[in-house]
Amino acid sequence: MKTIVVSGGAGFIGSHLIESLLSKGHCVLCLDNMFTGSKKNIEPFRNHPNFEFIRHDVVVPILLEADEIYHLACPASPVHYQNNPIKTLKTSVIGTLNLLGLAKRIKARFLLASTSEVYGDPEVHPQTESYHGNVNPVGPRACYDEGKRAAETLTVGYRDYNNTNVGIARIFNTYGPRMLPNDGRVVSNFICQALQGEDLTIYGDGSQTRSFCFISDMVNGLTKLMESGQPGPINLGNPHEVTIKELAETILKLIRTDKSKIVYKDLPQDDPTRRRPDISLAKKSLNWGPKIPLEDGLKATIAYFEEELGIKNG
Ligand code: NAD
Ligand code: UDP
């Protein structure tokens, strides 16, 4: 049994990760400032004897004893991370610095939740870990993309200069239950719109692509990376690539609604045109690959939002 810190543990991915770690018998210390986290996400295990919640902003240093640190604290949806770009950068850079300092001090293994956004609007497709990316440093996504790029640089700095045991996961679009209904990300937006009989808002012409990974596969990948001792960076995601228009049509088909139609809105600046992970490295070094097909994952996510919004789809 280990003691494991999960920063950002009251968020979407963090809360599923904690549930999995508790089920394996570990003790979990969840650090979260509740910016995009919710009490409801941690409700299922709030009274678990091995769970402790600490309301804490990672921009401030903290002293704890632990064997492992999963560092997930950072808003992930463009709507939230663009809300205060300076705070997002501080969270990524100073927050990561603080938790790396903690890992060094207590000799814990540290896992950074990085992102496919380090590839920006990629000119290489699918994206391999060796691709250095195409990021606009002064665009609206920069606070997140450059923040995560700097967080990766800090992480390899601690590895090489301080001998800290680190791993970097480059997470691609992940979805599932416990996303916030007002999160602004495409899967939650489309499902909530369709369930409420509203039109589905495609930004641009819908030809841009993403590759969506179901949450249980992602949690499995993150824990395998932690346990492997591999440094990374390693792509974690589902290589099944779809256009945003195909995603909208699939969700409309699964919800079986004729109240909603597709409407088109302006494409935000610097919105990546395509994204698909090359997961050869994760397959080889972690023996990991995603198992949940898109339609199955969407059905589980739709069921969650039906409950959340108090809507039963006929
Ligand atoms: P989320 O917004 O649901 O969760 C982030 C959590 O971090 C929230 O609980 C929030 O309150 C907390 N947080 C934010 N700033 C904080 C701070 N300064 N101090 C303490 N806590 C803070 O997002 P998520 O989808 O669960 O993403 C988790 C991590 O995975 C993030 O680091 C994100 O960048 C990364 N990631 C996610 C995706 C995805 O598709 N979900 C893709 C790539 C990378
Ligand atoms: N998107 C969309 N309608 C929405 C929300 C998002 O068409 O209501 C598009 C968005 O422009 C992007 C894709 O869906 O091309 C994925 O957006 P999301 O914010 O989920 O993730 P990211 O762009 O960070 O991959």
Side-chain angles (χ1 to χ4, degrees):
M1 188 180 82
K2 292 177 186 154
T3 299
I4 302 175
V5 170
V6 179
S7 78
F12 162 52
I13 298 180
S15 62
H16 286 277
L17 174 65
I18 290 176
E19 211 162 9
S20 165
L21 295 172
L22 289 172
S23 76
K24 291 177 182 162
H26 300 302
C27 285
V28 176
L29 305 174
C30 167
L31 306 183
D32 205 297
N33 72 349
M34 303 309 269
F35 175 48
T36 52
S38 86
K39 280 193 178 162
K40 200 165 171 222
N41 282 349
I42 55 174
E43 206 48 58
F45 42 80
R46 204 174 170 80
N47 296 320
H48 194 292
N50 291 352
F51 176 74
E52 205 173 319
F53 175 75
I54 305 167
R55 186 184 273 261
H56 175 78
D57 193 311
V58 293
V59 164
V60 178
I62 190 165
L63 286 181
L64 295 165
E65 290 301 325
D67 304 295
E68 294 176 347
I69 300 171
Y70 287 87
H71 176 40
L72 276 68
C74 184
S77 162
V79 175
H80 291 131
Y81 71 64
Q82 289 168 12
N83 172 266
N84 181 342
I86 297 168
K87 175 70 192 191
T88 299
L89 260 174
K90 281 170 90 174
T91 293
S92 260
V93 180
I94 302 173
T96 302
L97 185 69
N98 285 334
L99 290 191
L100 278 165
L102 177 67
K104 175 191 164 195
R105 185 189 167 109
I106 64 176
K107 298 189 170 43
R109 176 156 161 84
F110 174 94
L111 188 150
L112 174 70
S114 186
T115 171
S116 53
E117 292 280 334
V118 298
Y119 302 123
D121 190 3
E123 300 130 318
V124 168
H125 194 74
Q127 291 78 56
T128 50
E129 290 84 354
S130 57
Y131 176 50
H132 294 172
N134 174 33
V135 173
N136 173 2
V138 292
R141 300 173 84 98
C143 59
Y144 183 73
D145 301 7
E146 298 289 16
K148 290 285 186 179
R149 287 169 69 95
E152 287 199 8
T153 311
L154 278 167
T155 304
V156 295
Y158 269 75
R159 179 196 67 194
D160 297 342
Y161 189 71
N162 291 323
N163 222 7
T164 308
N165 182 355
V166 304
I168 299 174
R170 289 191 180 147
I171 301 174
F172 283 65
N173 295 67
T174 302
Y175 70 100
R178 298 198 191 135
M179 295 180 92
L180 293 174
N182 64 349
D183 188 278
R185 284 181 274 192
V186 68
V187 172
S188 43
N189 268 13
F190 285 176
I191 292 178
C192 292
Q193 287 164 340
L195 286 175
Q196 295 175 118
E198 294 166 10
D199 294 338
L200 274 60
T201 52
I202 288 185
Y203 304 158
D205 63 7
S207 63
Q208 72 270 37
T209 67
R210 294 293 186 273
S211 306
F212 296 97
C213 183
F214 190 61
I215 182 65
S216 56
D217 285 330
M218 184 54 62
V219 166
N220 190 12
L222 290 170
T223 46
K224 279 198 160 184
L225 174 55
M226 178 60 99
E227 285 157 15
S228 72
Q230 295 280 329
I234 297 187
N235 288 340
L236 294 178
N238 190 323
H240 177 198
E241 182 182 5
V242 293
T243 67
I244 294 304
K245 184 149 188 265
E246 282 163 355
L247 178 74
E249 286 164 351
T250 306
I251 288 173
L252 285 177
K253 183 187 83 181
L254 292 175
I255 293 184
R256 281 179 284 139
T257 175
D258 49 14
K259 291 199 194 107
S260 306
K261 55 182 192 321
I262 290 175
V263 295
Y264 293 87
K265 304 228 166 177
D266 290 344
L267 185 68
Q269 188 196 328
D270 295 338
D271 199 287
T273 41
R274 54 192 184 158
R275 184 181 290 154
R276 170 155 59 101
D278 180 322
I279 58 164
S280 315
L281 183 60
K283 276 188 178 150
K284 194 167 140 231
S285 62
L286 306 179
N287 190 25
W288 175 86
K291 295 196 173 79
I292 309 294
L294 182 61
E295 289 209 6
D296 292 358
L298 287 175
K299 281 180 196 158
T301 312
I302 290 166
Y304 169 78
F305 278 117
E306 280 174 344
E307 184 107 7
E308 195 63 11
L309 302 171
I311 295 165
K312 194 69 213 135
N313 178 35

